[in-house]
């Protein structure tokens, strides 16, 4: 098992990667092919490239991240790589080493570019995509998972993104982050509002965005600029 099929078995986030085919890799230089439901890759495998999960031979986490990145977009590659790092399935050094070992294989440029951007502090696909959009729209690089306290040292929360020099907090608002559904969702949202009120009361501006905003991030950038202006006037 390899590529997205191996990623699924390892428990990595797959984002919007297609799953209509099972991916297998044969330890051969040639002889790959695909059918409606199966894609067979023919690529040399070292012993270190294969692990056993539930009795199945599966490509190692590092090999899985790189192989999947080679058949993915940059967005997809970052989502799966961040997920593997966050779950501590693999280290960044192991991924970079695997990129180097891949040589000139097809798609390696995407894998190499994604590997240089990965950060295991991103806790969800939405946060990974947010980091990409932040860079694409030339926003300053934020601190990730920053812990905030008020002026007396009281814990306010751990925020997704923090721009210290501007006094601005950024939060990706995916409902999945609350870990609840049904009637409990309203309680969780209320608690989040109280948390945000406390952060604002401590003197910070808060910019929130949702999944929809990730596909029109210019609007988020405009909100960020306005938040920076408000924070500057306050200071």
């Amino acid at each position: 098992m390899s590529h997205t099929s191996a990623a699924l078995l390892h428990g990595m986030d797959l984002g919007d990667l297609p799953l209509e085919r099972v991916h297998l890799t044969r330890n051969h230089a040639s002889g790959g092919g695909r059918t409606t439901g199966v894609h067979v890759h023919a690529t040399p495998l070292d012993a270190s490239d294969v692990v056993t999960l539930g009795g199945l031979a599966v490509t190692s986490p590092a090999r899985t991240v790189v192989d999947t990145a080679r058949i993915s977009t940059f967005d997809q590659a970052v989502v799966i790589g961040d997920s593997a790092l966050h779950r501590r399935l693999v280290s960044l050094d192991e991924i970079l080493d695997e990129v180097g070992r891949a040589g000139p294989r097809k798609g390696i440029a995407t894998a190499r570019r994604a590997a240089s951007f990965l950060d295991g502090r991103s806790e969800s696909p939405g946060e990974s995509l947010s980091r990409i959009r932040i860079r694409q729209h030339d926003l300053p690089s934020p601190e990730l998972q920053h812990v905030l306290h008020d002026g007396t040292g009281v814990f306010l929360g751990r925020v997704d993104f923090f721009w210290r020099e501007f006094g601005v907090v950024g939060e990706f608002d995916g409902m999945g982050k609350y870990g609840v559904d049904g009637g409990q969702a309203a309680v969780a949202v209320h608690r989040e509002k109280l948390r945000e009120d406390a952060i604002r009361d401590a003197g910070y501006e808060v910019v929130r965005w949702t999944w929809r905003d990730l596909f029109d991030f210019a609007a988020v950038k405009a909100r960020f600029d306005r938040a920076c202006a408000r924070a500057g006037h306050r200071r």
Side-chain angles (χ1 to χ4, degrees), residues 94-152:
E94 289 172 320
I95 293 174
L96 293 173
D97 182 63
E98 191 63 47
V99 168
R101 293 176 56 222
R105 291 175 190 161
K106 183 178 180 180
I108 195 59
T110 298
R112 185 179 298 112
R113 190 160 68 97
S116 69
F117 187 74
L118 298 181
D119 194 315
R121 291 174 295 176
S122 290
E123 297 182 338
S124 69
E127 290 182 25
S128 296
L129 293 174
S130 295
R131 289 196 301 110
I132 297 172
R133 301 296 180 263
I134 285 168
R135 174 173 288 190
Q136 288 174 337
H137 287 78
D138 296 321
L139 272 69
S141 295
E143 298 176 37
L144 306 183
Q145 309 303 331
H146 182 76
V147 175
L148 282 180
H149 298 86
D150 69 10
T152 64

Side-chain angles (χ1 to χ4, degrees), residues 216-232:
D216 182 21
F217 210 73
V220 179
K221 184 179 188 305
R223 295 202 295 272
F224 173 80
D225 290 340
R226 291 194 295 271
C228 289
R230 288 194 300 270

Side-chain angles (χ1 to χ4, degrees), residues 23-77:
H23 287 261
L24 307 172
T25 293
R26 301 177 63 212
N27 188 16
H28 294 284
S30 61
R34 71 180 73 184
T35 64
T36 302
V38 179
H39 188 157
V40 178
H41 305 262
T43 308
L45 292 168
D46 293 337
S48 62
D49 291 327
V50 182
V51 298
T52 301
L53 289 177
L56 296 174
V58 181
T59 50
S60 68
R63 179 68 185 256
T64 298
V65 168
V66 174
D67 280 349
T68 305
R70 292 193 301 105
I71 64 170
S72 304
T73 65
F74 178 75
D75 282 10
Q76 293 167 335

Side-chain angles (χ1 to χ4, degrees), residues 125-203:
E127 290 182 25
S128 296
L129 293 174
S130 295
R131 289 196 301 110
I132 297 172
R133 301 296 180 263
I134 285 168
R135 174 173 288 190
Q136 288 174 337
H137 287 78
D138 296 321
L139 272 69
S141 295
E143 298 176 37
L144 306 183
Q145 309 303 331
H146 182 76
V147 175
L148 282 180
H149 298 86
D150 69 10
T152 64
V154 174
F155 173 75
L156 297 175
R158 181 166 57 88
V159 299
D160 298 337
F161 306 95
F162 183 54
W163 288 272
R164 183 187 303 273
E165 64 271 38
F166 302 106
V168 173
V169 167
E171 292 276 77
F172 170 71
D173 193 9
M175 282 303 295
K177 73 189 292 181
Y178 302 125
V180 295
D181 53 24
Q184 290 181 306
V187 175
V189 170
H190 178 65
R191 288 175 179 164
E192 182 67 13
K193 182 182 183 303
L194 294 178
R195 170 180 174 270
E196 183 172 319
D197 287 345
I199 291 173
R200 292 183 190 277
D201 189 56

